[in-house]
């Protein structure tokens, strides 16, 4: 008799636990994140008087180029941030989007400008999109 009582109690506990779990499962609905990011490896950043020219890795071994205006670093709210590169890592760029549109970019680079990841662009060359407001990048 005691065995049946224990079995009945276990069945009741399992049944109530399953029903409770199913009820809670329906309380939470899937929500898509409003902020997303994409990281790309940076080969070189060329410093120009108007902008930074970033050479980055695209898919299938291609190299992409994008310009980032220097005014983005000074404007409020800033669209350009720099992060110190940790040891034993390659430089990379993080493009952050909010609600599907560009929000800001983070360059994780070595602090020393003597590092080979940094370069200097010809200041006589005029960069036409140095006043742009958004970043369009092809991955």
């Amino acid at each position: 008799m005691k065995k049946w009582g224990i079995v009945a109690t276990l069945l009741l506990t399992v049944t109530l636990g399953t029903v409770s779990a199913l009820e809670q499962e329906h309380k939470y609905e899937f929500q898509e994140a409003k902020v997303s990011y994409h990281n790309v490896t940076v080969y070189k950043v060329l410093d120009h008087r108007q902008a930074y020219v970033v050479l980055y890795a695209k898919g299938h071994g291609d190299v992409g180029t994008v310009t980032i205006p220097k005014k983005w670093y000074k404007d409020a709210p800033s669209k350009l941030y720099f992060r110190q590169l940790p040891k034993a890592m390659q430089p990379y760029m993080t493009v952050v989007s909010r609600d599907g549109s560009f929000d800001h970019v983070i360059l994780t680079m070595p602090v020393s400008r003597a590092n080979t990841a940094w370069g200097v662009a010809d200041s006589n060359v005029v960069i036409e999109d140095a006043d742009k407001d958004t970043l369009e990048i092809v991955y």
Side-chain angles (χ1 to χ4, degrees), residues 99-116:
D99 294 324
S101 61
F102 170 74
D103 189 62
H104 65 275
V105 62
I106 303 167
L107 285 173
T108 305
M109 298 290 295
V111 175
S112 172
R113 295 290 177 114
N115 189 293
T116 58

Side-chain angles (χ1 to χ4, degrees), residues 57-134:
K58 288 173 50 173
H60 305 294
D62 294 335
V63 177
T65 305
V66 68
T67 57
I68 301 173
K70 284 190 173 181
K71 71 174 189 165
W72 286 5
Y73 184 72
K74 298 173 187 170
D75 289 349
S78 183
K79 290 184 182 181
L80 171 62
Y81 298 93
F82 286 96
R83 242 187 329 213
Q84 182 176 349
L85 181 68
K87 291 182 180 179
M89 287 187 69
Q90 286 189 302
Y92 63 96
M93 176 172 60
T94 306
V95 180
V96 181
S97 300
R98 186 178 304 274
D99 294 324
S101 61
F102 170 74
D103 189 62
H104 65 275
V105 62
I106 303 167
L107 285 173
T108 305
M109 298 290 295
V111 175
S112 172
R113 295 290 177 114
N115 189 293
T116 58
W118 286 100
V120 179
D122 186 4
S123 61
N124 294 325
V125 174
V126 176
I127 297 177
E128 295 182 16
D129 56 353
D131 283 339
K132 63 184 179 180
D133 292 326
T134 187

